[in-house]
Amino acid sequence: MVINLEWFRTFKAIYETGSLTAAAQVLYISQPGVSLHLNSLEAHTGYKLFDRAARKMVPTERGKVMYNYIVEPINKLEVAEQQFQKSSKTDKATISIGMCFETFQFTLEPHLATLPFNVIIKFGDYPDMQQDLDKGLLDLIITPQKGIQANLDYRPFSKERIVLIGGAKSNTEALSDLLENKAFGEAEAWLKQQVWYSTAADMDNLKKFWHQNFFKHPDFKPNYIVPNICSIVRCLSDGVGFSIIPDFLCRDEIEAGKVKLVWAGQNVIENTLYFGTRKKTIYAHEISRIQQIFETQNL
């Protein structure tokens, strides 16, 4: 029996989504079709690749090994498929861009429909984005971290400041008095008693801000963990609570009076944002168009 590459694509989708139903939705095929592909692959390899738990497909050790073998080749094949797929009207360039979700939503999302080329957006960790850029899976990344790959260029284009914000209804008079009098220990104690918002993936901002300004690890847990920073801003708008986030992600809400800029810190934290590209690319024109959008946003 000849192995079918679609079985691997289906296996990868099940592994990453955790269920047959979700994999079927990702692949735009029926759930019975997903089951057939998986059963065929397991029969061909002679190994059980998943344990069927309640509402979840749990990879076996053999399944984990297989995923590590096939994930990168399948990703490359999918990128090749996207790059060379002919449009029904005309061929368009397709560029792949990596950035965090909030940066995409704040800057590029409103402009996507105006672009004369195809765009694939990937979210993830910055080290993973750097590796994908180096391998050719991405063409441009927006990152506050520079990698060490010799094949990549990083051009600074803006800075983000990590600040303490509060909902418009948060009473910050006591905190302002404490900060003005440089009573930072009391200010820290006051802040720890307040309502806090954060994201599971972005606790680093809170930790870094606390270390820089109070010289210790934050020994409290946020009250609310939400999916992303944009959710934090929406929750705080016209409400009560605090969070520590990049300032450009709440600029409009601060200007509208929905959110307060409470404190930039006694030791201001600024991250440089970079455009990361390969030194040689056939998409220089398209990348330049994307870069212009970011530069005009005045981050």
Side-chain angles (χ1 to χ4, degrees), residues 236-253:
L236 285 179
S237 292
D238 295 323
V240 175
F242 294 88
S243 189
I244 292 169
I245 67 172
D247 58 351
F248 77 91
L249 292 175
C250 58
R251 184 186 303 138
D252 293 343
E253 288 77 9

Side-chain angles (χ1 to χ4, degrees), residues 79 82-83 94-98 118-121 137-140:
V79 170
Q82 292 160 349
Q83 296 282 14
T94 299
I95 66 168
S96 300
I97 308 173
N118 300 322
V119 175
I120 301 169
I121 303 295
L137 300 177
L138 292 173
D139 301 297
L140 169 69

Side-chain angles (χ1 to χ4, degrees), residues 33 48 91 98 119 121 153-154 165 176 228:
K48 185 178 182 182
D91 288 335
V119 175
I121 303 295
D153 271 335
Y154 291 90
I165 65 167
S176 297
N228 53 64

Side-chain angles (χ1 to χ4, degrees), residues 213-229:
N213 292 289
F214 302 120
F215 310 105
K216 61 180 68 172
H217 186 83
D219 57 349
F220 67 96
K221 293 182 179 179
N223 304 83
Y224 303 107
I225 304 295
V226 297
N228 53 64
I229 295 176

